[in-house]
Amino acid sequence: MNRNAIIIAGTLPIALAAGLAYTVLRSGPHSFTDEQCRECHAVTPVKGRRETMRLTASVAELCARCHKAMEDSISHPVEMMPARAIPPPDFPLSYEGKMTCTTCHDIHESSAQVLGAATSFLRRGLRGRALCIVCHQEESAGHMAMMPSAHMRYRADQAEAGRIDPISHTCLSCHDGSLGIMESVSVGTWEHGTPLAKFDPSGSHPIGVDYLRAFARRRGLKPLGSLNPAIKLIDGRVGCSSCHDLFSRLPGRLVMSNSGSRLCLACHDK
């Protein structure tokens, strides 16, 4: 075997391995077939022809068909026009100029880097604060810099004793006087019809309360089905994210205005 043959024989396995790795990385969860393209696109899309990119529904609705867990998370708002940030051209808005999931996520890119790290399809290969500051300035409250990602997602297997959700844990890890203002919260539950936690004199609402159990054992709470969708119950329990949203511009970062006790009365009769 001559020298050139030896070199080819030695590099072929490497090339094949690299090719296989590239194929595996490219064949991620968004590697759709031509038939599947029509599930989202009104016509078969053609690269470079914007008129063929028309969708069958809003981006948020299409993404939610598979990403149902987003309902249990504090997520960056979508289907809204940015008022305090100007996304650069490679962070595209919808035809109407609205923020969508694909503003930050290029869903047709690779789902993993060469070494296997997940990309979450994020544009520019950025994550965390580096991604946020592409559009946003640092906030004085520091929330943007402290947040691990734009999606603070609840996972049932992370809940402590099944009562306090991880989102609330994340909030309290700063709001213990170390980085954020001290928040005195109580963990609420029901036992033998007696509440173990009531409203704190400072105004803090107990977290970890099972809403359906509380509704069944006392008067004064509204039926679960009548609650405003802005109020999120994590695994059926009240948490910090039930009343607060990091992306809210309202005082106290409330999920809705509490003018006239509107937020309180969304759950309580009086």
Side-chain angles (χ1 to χ4, degrees), residues 21-243:
Y22 178 80
T23 301
V24 170
L25 295 181
R26 294 293 298 184
S27 60
H30 292 161
S31 295
F32 304 114
T33 64
D34 291 342
E35 292 75 17
Q36 289 174 318
C37 290
R38 294 297 296 270
E39 294 179 12
C40 297
H41 293 274
V43 297
T44 302
V46 178
K47 188 173 182 179
R49 294 182 57 185
R50 187 175 176 85
E51 68 274 13
T52 67
M53 302 299 170
R54 187 161 51 89
L55 301 175
T56 58
S58 70
V59 174
E61 181 181 339
L62 294 174
C63 293
R65 291 177 183 177
C66 295
H67 297 279
K68 301 184 184 303
M70 292 309 301
E71 297 175 359
D72 291 329
S73 70
I74 300 179
S75 175
H76 192 291
V78 294
E79 297 302 323
M80 44 75 69
M81 293 184 178
R84 303 192 181 189
I86 303 177
D90 57 329
F91 282 67
L93 301 175
S94 70
Y95 288 103
E96 298 82 13
K98 295 181 179 180
M99 176 89 184
T100 71
C101 303
T102 55
T103 299
C104 294
H105 301 272
D106 187 346
I107 66 169
H108 294 301
E109 281 300 313
S110 174
S111 62
Q113 297 174 346
V114 175
L115 297 180
T119 65
S120 299
F121 302 98
L122 291 169
R123 296 185 182 276
R124 298 189 186 180
L126 301 175
R127 301 184 71 87
R129 177 179 175 275
L131 178 69
C132 297
I133 62 176
V134 170
C135 301
H136 296 278
Q137 298 293 320
E138 287 283 3
E139 295 185 6
S140 58
H143 282 122
M144 189 187 71
M146 303 299 176
M147 289 169 54
S149 71
H151 307 286
M152 297 180 65
R153 186 172 294 109
Y154 166 75
R155 286 180 53 190
D157 59 336
Q158 292 179 342
E160 181 178 318
R163 290 170 60 190
I164 301 180
D165 63 275
I167 293 177
S168 296
H169 272 295
T170 300
C171 296
L172 296 176
S173 66
C174 288
H175 287 284
D176 58 358
S178 58
L179 295 173
I181 59 175
M182 181 70 177
E183 289 290 349
S184 175
V185 299
S186 54
V187 179
T189 186
W190 287 76
E191 189 172 285
H192 306 302
T194 303
L196 299 184
K198 298 181 180 179
F199 283 100
D200 188 277
S202 66
S204 293
H205 192 291
I207 60 175
V209 177
D210 185 305
Y211 192 90
L212 282 179
R213 290 184 65 188
F215 174 78
R217 292 177 180 273
R218 60 166 291 185
R219 297 177 180 176
L221 289 178
K222 295 182 178 179
L224 181 61
S226 69
L227 300 188
N228 190 301
I231 300 174
K232 294 181 180 295
L233 296 178
I234 307 301
D235 200 25
R237 296 179 183 272
V238 177
C240 296
S241 58
S242 298
C243 298

Side-chain angles (χ1 to χ4, degrees), residues 11 101 173 250 264:
T11 57
C101 303
S173 66
L250 295 174
C264 298

